[in-house]
Amino acid sequence: MENNPVLRAEHLGIVFGGLKAVSDFDISIGENELVGLIGPNGAGKTTIFNLLTGVYQPTEGVIYLNGKSMAHKKPHQMVKEGIARTFQNIRLFKELTVLDNVKVAFNQGMKYSLLKAVFRTPSYWKEEAEIDRKARELLAVFKMEDMADSLAENLPYGQQRKLEIARALATNPKILLLDEPAAGMNPTETAELMETISTIRKNFNISILLIEHDMSLVMSICERIIVIDYGQIIAKGTPQQIAKNEKVIGAYLGA
Amino acid sequence: MKQTVKVPWKAYILNAVCAVLIFVALSGMISAEVIDKYIQGIIMLVFINIILAVSLNLTTGFLGQIALGHAGFMSIGAYSSAILTKFIKDLPEGSFLQSLPPQLIFGVALLFGGLLAAVFGLLVGIPALRLKGDYLAIITLGFGEIIRVVMENLEITGGAQGLRSIPGYSTKYFGMCYWITILSVVFMYMLVRSRHGRAIMAIREDDIASEAVGIPNTYYKVAAFSIAAFFAGVAGGIYAHYLRILGAKTFNFTRSIEIIVIVVLGGMGSITGSIVAAIVLTVLPEALRSFSDYRMLAYSVALIIVMIFKPSGLFGRYEFSLANIIAKIFGKKTGSKKEAVEGGVK
């Protein structure tokens, strides 16, 4: 798997003012791998996500997607290269319908121009019909096709999380970054989420990087785990290795 | 899986028929002199306000950016088109440009005014749209005032005296103004209901998320801003050729606010709402003339009442659809989307 990593970053670091939020962060994720990123609150997990998706420009280090350097790329350009993400505090297009939320994410793969849209040329109808079909299919994978026409803000919490994942998948990514997908979920919803994640891996053949605080979830589904504290990696390994690592236990218990 | 995206021919034809019927009715009443010059003037203002409101709705309602400089773009279109038609009118007798049909000259002048306004929209948009919310509002406000002051001091615009004896094309070619209004509305409607419109609305809903699903935010913001500026310029051109006299005071800050009020009252994000509000808010002050001194008071009270009982505006984000209403009346279920409805409400 290390031969052809989907996502690779070396010596990634960012400084805010005088604060080194992240430093010397290395990561390499292979095809179809599921990696967990854990660490105490404020350790810099979300900052790493923001670096990897181009929201922040790293002050040091480079990110490679499929071997291509992502230096100075904007978030929407990186999406084109095959990275997608969800957010810790759900960010849906609340007053758009569920279907439109997904359709927006298909936009980057669509071609018809502004004038073609205004004149409703055949290419408009062809592409719109195609995207409508694709979006409904995607929703069907998540068993959400019945809600296609309701507004995103009216969905129950667990469904909103799912919709956000569906929307990210609509960009046709090679790697998906999930930022605390189980936050605020009850055990039933978490179980459903785990099922969703395994469906995604089966159906879409993508790699996943996951931030999560729910240890039972992380330990049961991740193949590898990276632990960070104060913006630095303190441990790497399989769930079994991490569970026994003293540094990790120390960081979490404050010992 | 059911096919849900198909060409709504029925709705298109229905709305086209309505647009033609209204046109025939209006021009019939004008030639039969049921509608006098005064009412015709009000209808012309309705047209202008519809174009202005619908275009501002793109930036304010659909893109979600509050812009207070719409009168600035309007004035660019007004002055540039008026200068062009005046220039052609003042050419020596029998020159080639003068021999062209005036409708063509008028049309080209409006297009020219719109394009120039769009260029300024681009120039202002690129730096200004890095900001949002109140900051953007202030910047666009400042821009509108700069335009006004510049216009008041340029020689080509007639300085503080203003521009006089502009050819009265708007009143003369009433039908042309009607169709330009219809076209503007159709343009916006088609734009908003496309992948581009979805992208623009996604930016309104959450600009971080839209960027994260691959929407180039800056591109769409600037594009929406200059498209709105284009139509404001066209409306300005019609306005100039209706008033026939332009003074820089015509396009002050209050004018921008008037347009914003129409958009908010009609419902931010509803094109048909903007149309209805433009009609109501243009006709209302005239209809209230009998109250003389209390006219503006009644106007304001009407606004306050709407805002208290329907803060999202008359229509909210709902679009009036003639096809759907007819389907409802006849008890049929339609699979057709709400398409092209503009003809139905004018």
Side-chain angles (χ1 to χ4, degrees), chain B residues 138-157:
Chain B
I138 303 277
I139 270 216
T140 48
L141 169 74
F143 163 74
E145 286 302 286
I146 289 171
I147 295 274
R148 189 175 63 81
V149 173
V150 168
M151 292 296 182
E152 240 171 289
N153 290 288
L154 281 182
E155 205 172 314
I156 192 167
T157 59

Side-chain angles (χ1 to χ4, degrees), chain A residues 8 27 145 164 236:
Chain A
R8 186 162 62 90
I27 193 169
E145 65 269 44
E164 212 191 10
K236 278 181 179 185

Side-chain angles (χ1 to χ4, degrees), chain B residues 48-187:
Chain B
I48 293 162
N49 280 338
I50 286 176
I51 302 177
L52 287 169
V54 167
S55 62
L56 185 66
N57 208 340
L58 184 67
T59 30
T60 302
F62 292 98
L63 184 65
Q65 309 291 328
I66 295 170
L68 295 179
H70 221 51
F73 296 124
M74 188 185 172
S75 78
I76 291 172
Y79 276 103
S80 51
S81 63
I83 288 167
L84 187 67
T85 50
K86 247 174 84 84
F87 169 78
I88 293 174
K89 195 186 79 172
D90 295 341
L91 283 176
E93 279 295 316
S95 61
F96 167 69
L97 282 176
Q98 267 194 339
S99 63
L100 292 173
Q103 288 98 323
L104 183 70
I105 297 175
F106 184 38
V108 170
L110 290 182
L111 200 63
F112 173 68
L115 287 176
L116 207 64
V119 169
F120 274 86
L122 207 66
L123 291 178
V124 178
I126 290 169
L129 288 167
R130 288 168 185 278
L131 305 173
K132 41 187 166 180
D134 3 9
Y135 306 104
L136 180 72
I138 303 277
I139 270 216
T140 48
L141 169 74
F143 163 74
E145 286 302 286
I146 289 171
I147 295 274
R148 189 175 63 81
V149 173
V150 168
M151 292 296 182
E152 240 171 289
N153 290 288
L154 281 182
E155 205 172 314
I156 192 167
T157 59
Q161 274 203 316
L163 220 52
R164 279 153 199 281
S165 62
I166 303 164
Y169 289 148
S170 295
T171 319
K172 211 160 156 193
Y173 305 118
F174 184 84
M176 194 170 154
C177 297
Y178 172 80
W179 288 113
I180 290 173
T181 310
I182 295 279
L183 282 181
S184 312
V185 173
V186 172
F187 183 101

Side-chain angles (χ1 to χ4, degrees), chain A residues 136-187:
Chain A
R136 283 174 198 278
E137 275 173 14
L138 185 60
L139 286 175
V141 172
F142 290 85
K143 302 191 182 68
M144 293 179 78
E145 65 269 44
D146 298 337
M147 307 163 195
D149 293 324
S150 35
L151 292 185
E153 65 180 351
N154 295 338
L155 293 186
Y157 186 81
Q159 300 288 348
Q160 291 196 8
R161 284 272 178 210
K162 277 207 312 199
L163 176 58
E164 212 191 10
I165 297 175
R167 189 183 64 183
L169 287 171
T171 64
N172 193 22
K174 304 256 170 24
I175 178 161
L176 179 62
L177 273 53
L178 300 174
D179 197 346
E180 293 199 32
M185 283 188 171
N186 61 36

Side-chain angles (χ1 to χ4, degrees), chain B residues 261-289:
Chain B
V261 168
I262 295 176
V263 172
V264 173
L265 187 89
M268 292 208 265
S270 169
I271 291 175
T272 40
S274 284
I275 296 172
V276 171
I279 297 171
V280 171
L281 289 190
T282 315
V283 172
L284 193 64
E286 299 297 332
L288 291 175
R289 278 203 185 275

Side-chain angles (χ1 to χ4, degrees), chain B residues 333-344:
Chain B
K333 276 206 165 174
T334 50
S336 75
K337 288 184 14 190
K338 297 165 190 164
E339 289 282 6
V341 296
E342 64 293 332

